[in-house]
Amino acid sequence: MMKNIQRFGSAMIVPVLLFPFFGIVVGLATLFKNEAIFGSLADPDHLWYQVWTLIENGGWTIFNQMPLIFLIGLPISLAKKAAARACLAAFVSYVVFNYYVNSILEIWGPALGVDFTAEVGGTSGLTYIAGIKTLDTSIIGAIVISGIVVWLHNRYYEKRLPEAVGIFQGTPYVVMVAFFLMLPLALLTSFFWPMVQDSILSLQGFMKSAGTLGVWIFLFLERILIPTGLHHFIYTPFQYGPAVVQEGITAYWIQNLGTFAQTTEPLKDVFPQAGFLLHGNSKMFAAPGIALAIYATAKPENRKKVGALLLAATLTSVFAGITEPLEFTFLFIAPYLFAIHAVLAATMGATMYALGVVGNMGGGLIEIATTNWVPLFSNHWSMYLIQFAVGLSFTAIYFFLFRFLILRFNIPLPGRDSKSNETKLYTKKDYQAKKAGDTAATSDVQTYKNDYERQADHFLQLLGGKENISEVTNCATRLRVSVHDTGKLKSEAEFKEAGAHGLVVNGTNIQIIVGLSVSQVRDYFEELSGR
């Protein structure tokens, strides 16, 4: 189980490593477009603003396409063979799944409680995936589909079909199986997922009327639902309307910023509903505590590279308010850590609210500073002192609690891998020594995983061994190999004995006619030859 968890965690890191750079780009673009800092340069009609808008739009690539990023990223680590082909199979299957959902909702949307004519985003529960209007299942849907396809790939990719239908083996066969499996999965998703979305929306009324408890529930759900994408149903009606005010808390806050700046009354009395927009505090104060805990528990020899990863992820969270680079580092490796994080984040925000802190604080430090601290500090500085006192206290709580849990349960976070004394990379001398020590009874016996590996190994030896190979490709039926020395090449008869249908020699360019299983043979050939 731990081995599988570690493998899945390492797979999740593949797309997560892309987040910090893109988060920094978005954060910098937001900073350089801020009128309070750059004045007239930040006018929408100014070239400066337009250039940074262009860059910012590029920076949102990863965050706007997270389902596709995770869908394609996971097979890279989870596929046991031919990872690139697994990525293609996952992508095609996911597109098929969303086309199925699109058709189901177009035909039976009203019966399923879905208004498929609504605009995507907000509380509609709809989104676009690869240009397809479909249900917003966020990265959960992508991970489920990717996991299913990887399982199919690992199970059926090397399945040998009769020669007459051999064109369908390999990736086509995996996609064919997935094609039919996606239909019942799309039907189940179309039936049950809107119910989950509606349940989330029904909580709004209770949260609005429950005071500090309502704020805590709001903040907890906003965090804990991030992996599902359902957190949009929590904060969108509050932040952008109409759950509290028609235009949304953010717009209302900015429109009345002048009034808030002039009043000396506690802002919680003036606009208590702004307590629902305190979730940015976990982005500023939780991230440093979590990152320090991960860094402190990493092996000393790994801390330098882990520190570089954590620094970028933490700055992205603190300044830009984008938490995925850090949270996804431990979310799927230790989900209970994420649950504890959601509880602490909600408790921190609810504590601030109980002590009088409110504001437009849903983003990162840049947004919070420019719409809260800078314009309101003169009359409301005491509220911000409370905010920092509570926030920094929770930074310490995060650090000590996460450090304890990571060490206590030996959570395999980045930097904590260590090699046992029995594990090493074997050299050629080690191999030769082992081979020399084998008994005569076993030295002539070679075991293979399957027929593909057997063919690949025989072809490699008939081509003169891996030192004689310079390049490997394939077409639909032929393994194309470039060799250094054709003098080491064996006869066509020997290749046919190894399973080839024929041999074509054109100088140093060799074509082994394998048949429709050539892609599977090539995978093993590359593995054995080190290509």
Side-chain angles (χ1 to χ4, degrees), residues 339-363:
I340 292 170
H341 167 46
V343 170
L344 290 177
T347 304
M348 172 169 54
T351 302
M352 289 180 180
Y353 179 72
L355 295 175
V357 179
V358 294
N360 179 42
M361 301 180 185

Side-chain angles (χ1 to χ4, degrees), residues 234-417:
I234 297 298
Y235 75 81
T236 298
F238 287 83
Q239 187 165 0
Y240 303 112
V244 173
V245 288
Q246 188 61 37
E247 61 270 55
I249 295 173
T250 294
Y252 184 88
W253 181 270
I254 293 174
Q255 291 167 4
N256 292 275
L257 206 54
T259 302
F260 296 152
Q262 294 173 9
T263 184
T264 56
E265 291 184 56
L267 292 180
K268 185 180 178 182
D269 294 340
V270 177
F271 187 42
Q273 296 90 338
F276 287 106
L277 246 61
L278 297 179
H279 49 286
N281 286 284
S282 67
K283 303 172 183 180
M284 287 193 302
F285 297 111
I290 295 171
L292 285 172
I294 297 175
Y295 178 82
T297 55
K299 302 296 181 184
E301 64 271 19
N302 295 331
R303 284 180 181 170
K304 184 175 181 180
K305 60 182 180 181
V306 170
L309 170 67
L310 292 172
L311 179 62
T314 304
L315 291 177
T316 299
S317 177
V318 172
F319 286 95
I322 298 172
T323 58
E324 285 87 351
L326 183 62
E327 290 174 340
F328 282 30
T329 302
F330 62 90
L331 169 58
F332 294 98
I333 297 175
Y336 55 89
L337 272 188
F338 189 77
I340 292 170
H341 167 46
V343 170
L344 290 177
T347 304
M348 172 169 54
T351 302
M352 289 180 180
Y353 179 72
L355 295 175
V357 179
V358 294
N360 179 42
M361 301 180 185
L365 184 146
I366 296 172
E367 179 183 343
I368 292 174
T370 54
T371 61
N372 295 271
W373 302 338
V374 174
L376 304 179
F377 188 81
S378 60
N379 282 335
H380 304 285
W381 58 269
S382 59
M383 182 180 73
Y384 298 127
L385 288 182
I386 293 172
Q387 179 189 8
F388 269 84
V390 174
L392 293 175
S393 297
F394 271 85
T395 300
I397 292 172
Y398 267 100
F399 171 74
F400 288 111
L401 182 57
F402 268 59
R403 181 180 181 276
F404 168 77
L405 292 172
I406 293 169
L407 294 175
R408 175 65 179 82
F409 296 104
N410 195 27
I411 301 172
L413 293 176
R416 288 186 52 75
D417 294 332

Side-chain angles (χ1 to χ4, degrees), residues 77-374:
S77 295
L78 295 180
K80 296 178 180 178
K81 180 65 61 178
R85 291 183 173 89
C87 292
L88 176 62
F91 176 77
V92 173
S93 302
Y94 187 56
V95 171
V96 169
F97 167 80
N98 282 294
Y99 270 122
Y100 278 146
V101 172
N102 174 278
S103 297
I104 291 167
L105 295 182
E106 275 191 346
I107 300 170
W108 299 300
L112 295 171
V114 178
D115 179 9
F116 202 59
T117 63
E119 294 293 326
V120 302
T123 59
S124 69
L126 304 173
T127 190
Y128 283 112
I129 297 291
I132 308 164
K133 191 175 184 181
T134 183
L135 279 176
D136 187 1
T137 57
S138 191
I139 67 168
I140 287 295
I143 289 172
V144 170
I145 300 298
S146 188
I148 290 172
V149 175
V150 168
W151 180 81
L152 292 174
H153 173 86
N154 290 338
R155 184 177 178 88
Y156 295 115
Y157 175 71
E158 295 180 328
K159 182 178 178 63
R160 184 178 288 276
L161 300 178
E163 190 71 21
V165 291
I167 193 172
F168 296 114
Q169 66 189 17
T171 301
Y173 187 73
V174 173
V175 172
M176 286 165 54
V177 176
F179 179 89
F180 294 103
L181 188 58
M182 291 301 108
L183 180 55
L185 188 60
L187 285 167
L188 289 172
T189 302
S190 300
F191 182 78
F192 287 107
W193 197 253
M195 296 181 186
V196 176
Q197 293 174 329
D198 289 341
S199 297
I200 296 297
L201 288 173
S202 67
L203 287 174
Q204 290 179 10
F206 173 76
M207 289 189 293
K208 286 187 295 184
S209 61
T212 302
L213 175 61
V215 169
W216 189 94
I217 294 173
F218 173 90
L219 297 174
F220 173 75
L221 293 176
E222 189 276 333
R223 282 294 95 186
I224 199 69
L225 293 175
I226 280 180
T228 68
L230 291 171
H231 64 301
H232 297 299
F233 284 80
I234 297 298
Y235 75 81
T236 298
F238 287 83
Q239 187 165 0
Y240 303 112
V244 173
V245 288
Q246 188 61 37
E247 61 270 55
I249 295 173
T250 294
Y252 184 88
W253 181 270
I254 293 174
Q255 291 167 4
N256 292 275
L257 206 54
T259 302
F260 296 152
Q262 294 173 9
T263 184
T264 56
E265 291 184 56
L267 292 180
K268 185 180 178 182
D269 294 340
V270 177
F271 187 42
Q273 296 90 338
F276 287 106
L277 246 61
L278 297 179
H279 49 286
N281 286 284
S282 67
K283 303 172 183 180
M284 287 193 302
F285 297 111
I290 295 171
L292 285 172
I294 297 175
Y295 178 82
T297 55
K299 302 296 181 184
E301 64 271 19
N302 295 331
R303 284 180 181 170
K304 184 175 181 180
K305 60 182 180 181
V306 170
L309 170 67
L310 292 172
L311 179 62
T314 304
L315 291 177
T316 299
S317 177
V318 172
F319 286 95
I322 298 172
T323 58
E324 285 87 351
L326 183 62
E327 290 174 340
F328 282 30
T329 302
F330 62 90
L331 169 58
F332 294 98
I333 297 175
Y336 55 89
L337 272 188
F338 189 77
I340 292 170
H341 167 46
V343 170
L344 290 177
T347 304
M348 172 169 54
T351 302
M352 289 180 180
Y353 179 72
L355 295 175
V357 179
V358 294
N360 179 42
M361 301 180 185
L365 184 146
I366 296 172
E367 179 183 343
I368 292 174
T370 54
T371 61
N372 295 271
W373 302 338
V374 174

Side-chain angles (χ1 to χ4, degrees), residues 468-481:
N468 199 34
I469 308 300
S470 63
E471 187 176 344
V472 182
T473 59
N474 73 275
C475 63
T477 60
R478 301 185 181 201
L479 183 67
R480 300 173 182 264
V481 183

